Amino acid sequence: VRGGESLGNHEIMSALNTERHGSVLGRSLWHVDMDDARKQIEALGWTRSAAVQRLWPDTIHISLVERRPAALWLDASGEYHLIDAGGYVISAVEPVAHTDMPVLAGTTNTSIASPLLNALETKPELKSRIAVIRSVGERRFDLRFRNDFTARLPEGPPEKALERLEGLGAGTGKLAETLDYIDL
C-alpha cells in the first residue's frame, strides 16, 4: 500500500474482504476482482482515488490518494466530522482531535461551503485564525475568529471579501479591539 497515511492497513484489508471469498490474504490473484477492489477502497472516507494492480506471482499493489481535511463540520445532532475543501464528509471525529481547523456549522449541506473552503486554502494564515464558519440561510457565511471578532461575508464568491479581511488584519486583535463585527 502506497500513499495511505490516515488509513490503516487493517481498514484497507477489511475493505477487500468479500462474502464469497473472505480475506484477500492467501487468495489466488485470479480470484481478486481489481475493479471491485478499487471501488471498495474508494468507498472508504479518506480515499479520494485508488489504483489496484496485480504484481505476479503473489502481490496486490494499492496506490492511494487521500483527501485532505479542510474543516470540521458540526452536524444537527452535535457530532463532528472531518470534511475536505469540496465539502465531502471524510469521517466522524472527536471535537478535540482537530482544534486547529475551523468548524462549519448551521448547515446540513456541507458542499455549499466548498467555494469558501477552497478560497481559504490559499490563505492559510487567515484560515488559522478562524474558529467557526456559520452558514446563514445557506446563502452566505459569518466567520467567527478565535479572538471573538465576527466578519459577515456577502453572498457570492468569497475571494474579494477574504482579501479585504486579510488586509484589515482580521483575527489578529487589531479589529477586535474597536469592533465586535464587520459586515462586508
Side-chain angles (χ1 to χ4, degrees):
V1 177
R2 298 274 188 237
E5 295 176 17
S6 301
L7 284 172
N9 284 342
H10 176 71
E11 291 169 293
I12 294 168
M13 296 307 288
S14 293
L16 296 178
N17 286 345
T18 64
E19 287 184 30
R20 183 172 178 211
H21 295 289
S23 175
V24 72
L25 294 175
R27 194 179 335 154
S28 168
L29 290 183
W30 293 108
H31 294 116
V32 179
D33 181 338
M34 295 296 127
D35 190 49
D36 186 51
R38 180 189 53 80
K39 289 176 185 174
Q40 293 299 323
I41 293 169
E42 286 180 344
L44 299 172
W46 280 99
T47 309
R48 178 178 299 279
S49 64
V52 181
Q53 298 174 303
R54 289 182 182 95
L55 297 178
W56 298 102
D58 60 358
T59 304
I60 296 175
H61 183 265
I62 301 167
S63 297
L64 299 175
V65 176
E66 289 188 341
R67 296 180 186 281
R68 286 188 33 230
L72 291 171
W73 169 51
L74 177 61
D75 69 14
S77 66
E79 298 288 321
Y80 288 85
H81 306 269
L82 280 176
I83 61 172
D84 70 3
Y88 182 87
V89 178
I90 297 170
S91 69
V93 293
E94 291 297 318
V96 296
H98 299 277
T99 58
D100 58 327
M101 292 187 176
V103 175
L104 174 63
T107 184
T108 57
N109 180 5
T110 58
S111 65
I112 65 165
S114 180
L116 177 59
L117 292 173
N118 281 313
L120 283 171
E121 289 297 313
T122 66
K123 301 188 176 315
E125 192 173 320
L126 182 66
K127 180 182 174 185
S128 70
R129 296 184 217 139
I130 298 171
V132 178
I133 301 168
R134 175 158 305 279
S135 173
V136 179
E138 298 206 358
R139 58 183 177 76
R140 66 170 199 82
F141 296 95
D142 286 350
L143 303 180
R144 184 77 172 173
F145 289 85
R146 295 185 190 279
N147 65 353
D148 288 334
F149 177 75
T150 300
R152 297 176 180 171
L153 300 183
E155 290 183 50
E159 288 80 10
K160 286 184 182 179
L162 294 179
E163 294 224 1
R164 201 159 165 216
L165 285 172
E166 193 173 45
L168 292 170
T172 61
K174 296 173 189 171
L175 286 179
E177 291 172 4
T178 56
L179 300 171
D180 289 331
Y181 72 90
I182 187 169
D183 192 339
L184 297 171

